[in-house]
Amino acid sequence: MASFHHRWSLTFFFIVATLALIAQAHAAGYSTPSVTFKATPWQLAHATFYGDETASETMGGACGYGNLFNSGYGTDTAALSSVLYSNGYSCGQCYQIKCTQSKDCYPTIVTVTATNLCPPNWSQDSDHGGWCNPPRTHFDMAKPAFMKIAQWKAGIVPVSYRRVPCIRKGGIKFSFQGNGYWLLVYVMNVGGGGDVASMWVKGTKTNWLSMSHNWGASYQAFATLSGQALSFKLTSYTSHETIIAINVAPSNWQVGMTYQANVNFH
């Protein structure tokens, strides 16, 4: 009987200790995702480029990342045809691209981040200028990225592509716009699948408030949140995993500032 009580006491101790560690981790804003995004099989598409070697024309874009150097994405980026863009839910996804079946190919693989939309051009045929017309799967790459896989004079080349995990340093970044009654947040530096399906915000004086998808990689909440420290909950568009970032922004947060969490997808 004594042995039974001893084993029960040890089991109870380990359960309590484990629950305490989990609570401590969540309180600190850490969450260990149970889903790790894996690379997808290779598929066929085509690629063109836009802009020049400086990639100045790629800044901004339909995902809302602004200056891509400041956002950490650089020049290895691409605009997606609408089939891939998925109304902005594909913003932040990472793709490996390699040129195939062309004399202009280089034996190189480049990893790009989706930062823009390549809109349809209905005045052109889909095989002659309207490269991004549905149902084409197409990448309009920043010129520096395109030049890594093919001679730029080719203009358009067949490619193989696949989704790959986004490797990001540090936690997810939240760039604030709006005002005290309307918070617009651009989500950047997302790891794993690189994308966000849904998002919630919580002030120190509120419950979790659902944020609506605005455009690209931005989410909005119509609520009075000024003067409160803000936490965020995010669900991945690809893996459906949810993570919580506690106290990302201090109570004196300001519009125009970017705040970084200590959690990310994998």
Side-chain angles (χ1 to χ4, degrees):
M1 182 65 70
S3 177
F4 170 79
H5 284 297
H6 178 69
R7 289 197 302 271
W8 185 90
S9 297
L10 286 175
T11 301
F12 179 77
F13 170 79
F14 284 121
I15 291 173
V16 171
T18 300
L19 291 174
L21 288 172
I22 293 173
Q24 183 180 8
H26 280 285
Y30 292 93
S31 177
T32 304
S34 59
V35 177
T36 299
F37 179 69
K38 305 291 185 183
T40 64
W42 290 96
Q43 301 179 68
L44 298 177
H46 284 79
T48 49
F49 67 86
Y50 68 114
D52 58 19
E53 288 84 348
T54 67
S56 60
E57 291 184 33
T58 69
M59 299 298 116
C63 289
Y65 294 134
N67 186 306
L68 298 178
F69 292 105
N70 294 341
S71 301
Y73 298 118
T75 59
D76 285 343
T77 63
L80 307 181
S81 60
S82 54
V83 171
L84 289 171
Y85 185 70
S86 302
N87 293 319
Y89 288 106
S90 295
C91 287
Q93 292 179 353
C94 297
Y95 295 83
Q96 282 185 340
I97 302 176
K98 59 182 178 181
C99 179
T100 62
Q101 304 172 8
S102 171
K103 60 181 176 58
D104 297 309
C105 290
Y106 296 142
T108 311
I109 298 176
V110 63
T111 301
V112 298
T113 301
T115 59
N116 204 352
L117 167 68
C118 180
N121 183 357
W122 299 113
S123 66
Q124 301 291 334
D125 293 334
S126 61
D127 58 351
H128 187 70
W131 308 121
C132 291
N133 294 353
R136 290 185 69 103
T137 300
H138 191 85
F139 297 88
D140 199 18
M141 304 170 66
K143 190 174 182 179
F146 184 90
M147 291 171 65
K148 292 180 180 180
I149 63 168
Q151 298 183 44
W152 68 268
K153 292 182 179 180
I156 179 170
V157 292
V159 297
S160 293
Y161 76 96
R162 65 175 181 173
R163 288 273 312 277
V164 293
C166 295
I167 309 301
R168 305 297 183 203
K169 293 183 179 179
I172 297 173
K173 295 180 180 179
F174 303 85
S175 180
F176 286 12
Q177 296 296 331
N179 51 50
Y181 309 97
W182 171 61
L183 179 65
L184 180 66
V185 180
Y186 293 90
V187 188
M188 303 177 292
N189 201 53
V190 181
D195 47 33
V196 176
S198 51
M199 188 166 154
W200 297 260
V201 62
K202 184 182 184 306
T204 48
K205 301 176 184 177
T206 73
N207 295 319
W208 285 109
L209 306 174
S210 178
M211 304 182 74
S212 58
H213 184 222
N214 185 292
W215 61 282
S218 67
Y219 288 80
Q220 61 190 358
F222 296 93
T224 303
L225 295 167
S226 58
Q228 303 178 58
L230 301 182
S231 302
F232 293 96
K233 180 165 59 174
L234 308 94
T235 297
S236 167
Y237 183 72
T238 297
S239 68
H240 310 296
E241 189 71 23
T242 298
I243 59 176
I244 298 175
I246 302 296
N247 293 334
V248 172
S251 58
N252 62 343
W253 61 266
Q254 296 180 7
V255 168
M257 297 293 291
T258 297
Y259 302 92
Q260 188 165 15
N262 52 16
V263 291
N264 213 326
F265 296 106
H266 298 284

